[in-house]
Amino acid sequence: MDNKGSIGIFDSGYGGLTILKEILKELPEYNYIYLGDNARAPYGSRDFETVYKFTLECVNYLFKKNCPLIILACNTASAKALRTIQQKYLPNLHPPRKVLGIIRPTTEVIGNYSRTKHIGIFATEGTVQSESYLIEIKKFFCELVVTQEACPMWVPLVENNEHLSDGADYFVKKHIQNLLKKDPHIDAILLACTHYPLMLSKIKKYIPKNIQIISQGSIVAKSLKNYLIQHPEIESQISKNKKSVFYTSMDSASFNEKAGLFFGEKLTATRAEGI
Ligand code: DGL
């Protein structure tokens, strides 16, 4: 046993499991603590103050569980809460802690996926309204034409395990048609919500074959790997016992029942007290 901590992975619900799954492939040696705020998901249609308040509560929960580094594996939280946490909250903490998002690493590479230089983005209303992707992409690929489409029903479909049902087809088809009508030159679409990779088979059904679909999991995993190489002062604080622990703000039995489907293997979570 050492006194070292774990890498915290946070999402509003199950979606962050799609990121953790890819991180575990890239960096299996570390300890991880996952927290899903399922009881209050979805975050996508909530205002800035609420997303900030909920995210900060969850971040503090993970800090108390000894996570020196937390990844907000949620685009909505990354778009609406990360900057304030990094600029106003973290500087006052002792010992120092780090919180990273998943928008920046995605925007650093997204231009490499398109030949036409026309990219589409599916995201929650909150992420779309924040314009975080538009702002960040401009810094790295100013020539890219980026078109967003908010898909407010997709997260509720996933959280309720209805994402592969016949009813989901209507909402998938509708948003794909909307996006491609706005820009027919799109040849790559980013799933800018960590819940959406779970709908991949449905999305593929309605997307023309020449369009590439980009999920964030492996992008975020590679970026985290680089971060840990560049920040030995953080890396040295993380245990390497290959242990992952799961917490949820909802009843854990319900979480366990569904989470395994999304994570790809059975897992057992504990109810996060106080959230
Ligand atoms: N997985 C979250 C994201 O990436 C979903 C947000 C929500 O709860 O609406 O944005």
Side-chain angles (χ1 to χ4, degrees):
M1 276 296 280
D2 54 43
N3 286 330
K4 293 185 177 185
S6 307
I7 300 175
I9 308 284
F10 164 72
D11 182 49
S12 59
Y14 298 109
L17 292 170
T18 64
I19 300 282
L20 177 57
K21 197 169 143 188
E22 295 301 320
I23 290 177
L24 282 168
K25 282 186 201 158
E26 195 74 47
L27 298 162
E29 64 271 38
Y30 295 107
N31 285 15
Y32 297 90
I33 299 183
Y34 184 88
L35 173 60
D37 191 6
N38 301 73
R40 301 186 292 195
Y43 279 15
S45 47
R46 295 187 188 272
D47 59 33
F48 269 86
E49 287 72 31
T50 310
V51 174
Y52 176 69
K53 183 177 173 281
F54 288 176
T55 305
L56 188 59
E57 277 173 27
C58 293
V59 160
N60 273 321
Y61 185 87
L62 289 168
F63 281 159
K64 283 197 190 115
K65 295 276 173 202
N66 197 15
C67 295
L69 171 66
I70 296 171
I71 310 294
L72 302 186
C74 173
N75 288 275
T76 310
S78 298
K80 289 185 147 186
L82 179 66
R83 187 179 293 256
T84 317
I85 290 176
Q86 285 178 334
Q87 293 180 350
K88 301 216 168 113
Y89 190 72
L90 296 184
N92 304 318
L93 285 185
H94 298 285
R97 314 272 190 157
K98 295 282 176 203
V99 180
L100 305 176
I102 56 174
I103 294 180
R104 176 76 181 226
T106 308
T107 57
E108 281 173 2
V109 297
I110 194 165
N112 305 332
Y113 289 87
S114 171
R115 279 203 305 270
T116 62
K117 300 298 167 202
H118 287 248
I119 293 252
I121 291 185
F122 287 135
T124 65
E125 281 172 300
T127 302
V128 167
Q129 280 161 10
S130 76
E131 299 200 344
S132 298
Y133 272 98
L134 306 185
I135 295 163
E136 288 297 319
I137 289 173
K138 269 216 164 59
K139 293 180 189 163
F140 301 104
F141 300 97
C142 56
E143 76 285 10
L144 271 194
V145 178
V146 185
T147 307
Q148 305 189 97
E149 170 74 8
C151 313
M153 287 300 291
W154 289 13
V155 171
L157 284 168
V158 171
E159 287 289 312
N160 290 293
N161 206 8
E162 290 287 344
H163 54 291
L164 298 179
S165 68
D166 291 344
D169 283 60
Y170 171 81
F171 295 102
V172 171
K173 209 165 136 185
K174 173 178 156 179
H175 292 300
I176 291 173
Q177 281 172 351
N178 286 353
L179 181 70
L180 296 181
K181 209 157 129 192
K182 285 189 257 185
D183 183 356
H185 303 295
I186 286 169
D187 70 346
I189 297 177
L190 172 69
L191 304 183
C193 170
T194 56
H195 282 66
Y196 296 174
L198 301 166
M199 306 183 74
L200 198 58
S201 59
K202 281 270 186 237
I203 296 169
K204 278 188 173 159
K205 195 169 152 190
Y206 295 105
I207 283 217
K209 295 271 174 292
N210 62 315
I211 296 180
Q212 191 180 168
I213 302 166
I214 312 159
S215 296
Q216 292 174 291
S218 61
I219 296 173
V220 172
K222 286 191 179 71
S223 166
L224 176 60
K225 191 175 185 176
N226 282 337
Y227 181 88
L228 293 172
I229 292 169
Q230 282 160 20
H231 293 86
E233 76 288 1
I234 301 287
E235 198 276 346
S236 60
Q237 296 180 52
I238 302 162
S239 274
K240 291 183 181 167
N241 296 322
K242 301 184 177 178
K243 200 175 155 198
S244 295
V245 177
F246 299 85
Y247 289 93
T248 174
S249 58
M250 82 193 300
D251 160 57
S252 57
S254 318
F255 181 90
N256 295 342
E257 208 181 292
K258 288 187 203 163
L261 291 173
F262 304 140
F263 190 50
E265 59 187 87
K266 214 169 149 25
L267 55 88
T268 307
T270 305
R271 169 88 173 79
E273 294 303 332
I275 293 181

